[in-house]
């Protein structure tokens, strides 16, 4: 299994657990963010980079604006559910990344190369 396949399987499992749990999605968001550490930034799969950017923004939202935690966590659940419907179709994934980065107020420059 490639790094990309291992990463994607771990993301699916973590998101499924998040959506099945009654716990705050913030902890799962941190776990999703942690999945990206130690992996090549772009091993031919932009999801490695863009999911880290999206979940970094979502978890930062909770940390930097705690009064907006409910709103941030609602976005985490929405982003997680949507990822499960788009994953695997690289064209649709690109639209997902663009939309979520725009929603979170982030630019989408080219990911760094390794």
């Amino acid at each position: 299994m490639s790094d990309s396949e291992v990463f994607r399987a771990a993301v699916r499992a973590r998101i499924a657990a998040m959506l099945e749990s009654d716990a705050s999605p913030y902890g799962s968001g941190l776990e999703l963010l942690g999945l990206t550490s130690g992996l090549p930034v772009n091993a031919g799969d932009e999801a490695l980079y863009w999911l880290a950017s999206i979940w970094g923004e979502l978890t930062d939202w909770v940390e930097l604006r705690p009064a907006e935690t409910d709103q941030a966590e609602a976005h985490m659940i929405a982003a997680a559910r949507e990822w499960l419907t788009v994953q695997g179709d690289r064209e649709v994934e690109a639209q997902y990344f663009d939309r979520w980065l725009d929603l979170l107020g982030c630019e989408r420059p080219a990911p760094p190369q390794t």
Side-chain angles (χ1 to χ4, degrees):
M1 225 183 219
S2 71
D3 285 344
S4 174
E5 292 167 328
V6 169
F7 172 76
R8 285 170 171 273
V11 167
R12 272 191 308 276
R14 184 66 252 148
I15 285 176
M18 174 196 304
L19 295 175
E20 292 171 1
S21 173
D22 290 332
S24 163
Y26 171 75
S28 293
L30 289 176
E31 290 175 14
L32 283 166
L33 190 55
L35 291 174
T36 63
S37 64
L39 292 176
V41 172
N42 186 359
D45 186 350
E46 285 190 345
L48 298 170
Y49 180 74
W50 296 116
L51 286 172
S53 297
I54 290 168
W55 286 95
E57 288 295 323
L58 288 167
T59 55
D60 282 355
W61 187 356
V62 171
E63 294 165 9
L64 299 174
R65 298 187 307 263
E68 298 175 13
T69 295
D70 288 346
Q71 184 180 4
E73 289 185 340
H75 277 72
M76 288 178 188
I77 296 296
R81 282 189 180 132
E82 187 177 344
W83 176 252
L84 292 179
T85 67
V86 304
Q87 66 176 339
D89 182 329
R90 301 293 172 105
E91 188 175 312
V92 179
E93 286 178 6
Q95 294 168 3
Y96 168 90
F97 297 138
D98 286 340
R99 194 173 70 67
W100 275 100
L101 291 167
D102 185 53
L103 179 72
L104 296 168
C106 302
E107 299 275 330
R108 189 176 189 229
Q113 300 297 307
T114 57

